[in-house]
Amino acid sequence: MANSKYEYVKAFERENYLLPETYIVIRVDGKGFHKFSKYYDFAKPNDLGALQVMNAAAMQIMHRYSDVLLAYGDSDEYSFLLRRSCELYERREMKLCTLFASLMSTYYMHFWNQRYPEKLIQLEMIPTFDARAVTYPNFRTVRDYFSWRQVDCHINNLYNTTFWNLVEKLGLTGQEAENKLMGTVSSDKNEILFKECGINYNNEPEIFRKGTIFVREIVNSKECNDDDEIKQLSARQKQRQEKMRKKAEIKEYHVDIINDDNWWESRSWLERS
């Protein structure tokens, strides 16, 4: 770009580069989805179609960027794990956050209109997402992060399932249901569902109770080098690894990642990526 007397304004720009050799998790979250779900008449407590739209958008992002190794989502949020040696946009935080937020918003609208041609997205109520990026120093912390998000999914879904069944099955008002659930723990909510609503919470679909996990399943895990080896790779070797990641199958899971050590151990290559 040609120099001009106005170019000095660039000096005011500041970039935040995320720490190198750390895992990056980018979490996108729906903005104002309470109003959005009401406007488009979501089923309560869970709308399977809307969740599948979220999943389709997240899957599209994983197909687009091979640096994304794993994604976990529930309700109106998704967390994307970028490999430790990721160099996407030179690890610039603002670039990554704006990229993932805009892609999620765009893909969500696309797949929504594809799934619901009878209620297309209207200008006065469009889906928008914000995003944040956090770096984690080791894979143990990464595991704990995704466990935290799944615990959050369980707590919120159990409450919402109980609340909406009290309203729709027992005819309580929203305030009455809220008062009834005030101070209750998980066992209390399970008992209310079972005894008063005839629902065994454990029989609810796993996608509601546990969320959705997408994993880029790299079969030849030996190709996933450790940090020291990655630093020594030539440009051609890096391209070959990127092609391998792009060709890898992306699989969908609904598992209890908190307690399932075997599931994580069978994907130990994630820790070396």
Side-chain angles (χ1 to χ4, degrees):
M1 183 174 66
N3 293 329
S4 74
K5 66 178 182 179
Y6 306 110
E7 196 170 354
Y8 77 93
V9 298
K10 289 181 63 178
F12 290 88
E13 296 180 7
R14 289 293 181 269
E15 285 285 2
N16 180 31
Y17 292 87
L18 297 172
L19 286 173
E21 306 303 334
T22 57
Y23 294 98
I24 300 173
V25 173
I26 299 177
R27 183 163 84 245
V28 296
D29 196 12
K31 188 177 185 301
F33 258 60
H34 178 73
K35 292 181 179 178
F36 183 88
S37 63
K38 188 174 182 179
Y39 185 93
Y40 291 103
D41 194 27
F42 279 26
K44 300 295 184 181
N46 293 290
D47 191 300
L48 180 60
L51 287 175
Q52 289 171 340
V53 169
M54 282 286 294
N55 289 346
M59 174 74 86
Q60 194 66 30
I61 291 175
M62 288 195 71
H63 280 303
R64 182 162 182 159
Y65 292 105
S66 66
D67 283 303
V68 181
L69 300 177
L70 180 149
Y72 172 80
D74 77 278
S75 187
D76 62 343
E77 75 166 51
Y78 244 97
S79 297
F80 299 90
L81 172 66
L82 277 62
R83 62 196 185 94
R84 187 167 44 189
S85 52
C86 170
E87 298 175 356
L88 186 63
Y89 287 109
E90 300 173 304
R91 300 173 74 92
R92 286 181 286 174
E93 182 178 11
M94 287 190 293
K95 279 281 190 180
L96 291 171
C97 287
T98 54
L99 171 70
F100 276 74
S102 61
L103 283 177
M104 198 69 184
S105 302
T106 305
Y107 287 145
Y108 188 97
M109 182 179 293
H110 169 80
F111 288 113
W112 176 280
N113 286 342
Q114 193 177 74
R115 183 180 182 88
Y116 296 111
E118 73 281 4
K119 51 178 180 178
L120 299 176
I121 294 294
Q122 301 300 307
L123 183 61
E124 61 267 24
M125 189 59 69
I126 60 173
T128 55
F129 293 81
D130 58 34
R132 73 198 72 184
V134 184
T135 57
Y136 293 101
N138 54 59
F139 198 68
R140 176 72 260 176
T141 317
V142 169
R143 282 191 57 175
D144 287 345
Y145 170 83
F146 285 103
S147 295
W148 169 52
R149 297 321 302 147
Q150 190 172 60
V151 168
D152 195 65
C153 168
H154 163 70
I155 292 172
N156 290 335
N157 188 65
L158 178 57
Y159 180 92
N160 290 334
T161 300
T162 311
F163 177 90
W164 283 107
N165 274 283
L166 288 174
V167 170
E168 296 184 350
K169 280 198 170 185
L170 301 187
L172 273 64
T173 66
Q175 187 61 57
E176 289 171 339
E178 188 175 327
N179 291 339
K180 186 177 179 68
L181 294 175
M182 190 176 298
T184 59
V185 295
S186 294
S187 58
D188 298 326
K189 296 181 183 70
N190 273 289
E191 187 173 359
I192 291 171
L193 281 173
F194 188 74
K195 290 186 175 179
E196 300 185 33
C197 304
I199 294 174
N200 185 335
Y201 183 71
N202 291 327
N203 293 335
E204 291 292 290
E206 289 183 324
I207 189 174
F208 300 156
R209 293 185 292 115
K210 299 177 182 178
T212 300
I213 306 169
F214 288 122
V215 180
R216 189 180 301 278
E217 297 283 12
I218 300 177
V219 177
N220 189 2
S221 59
K222 293 180 181 179
E223 292 293 329
C224 296
N225 305 81
D226 60 30
D227 283 347
D228 292 332
E229 290 175 326
I230 287 172
K231 293 174 185 177
Q232 299 172 15
L233 290 178
S234 66
R236 186 170 182 178
Q237 288 172 318
K238 288 182 179 180
Q239 288 177 354
R240 188 168 68 247
Q241 285 204 343
E242 183 178 358
K243 286 181 180 179
M244 177 192 67
R245 291 193 303 272
K246 284 184 175 180
K247 290 180 179 179
E249 182 180 3
I250 300 174
K251 291 186 179 180
E252 179 177 345
Y253 298 91
H254 304 279
V255 297
D256 184 355
I257 59 178
I258 301 169
N259 301 311
D260 198 343
D261 288 334
N262 291 332
W263 189 84
W264 285 105
E265 288 172 5
S266 65
R267 289 154 188 84
S268 59
W269 55 267
L270 282 167
E271 189 171 0
R272 304 195 303 275
S273 298

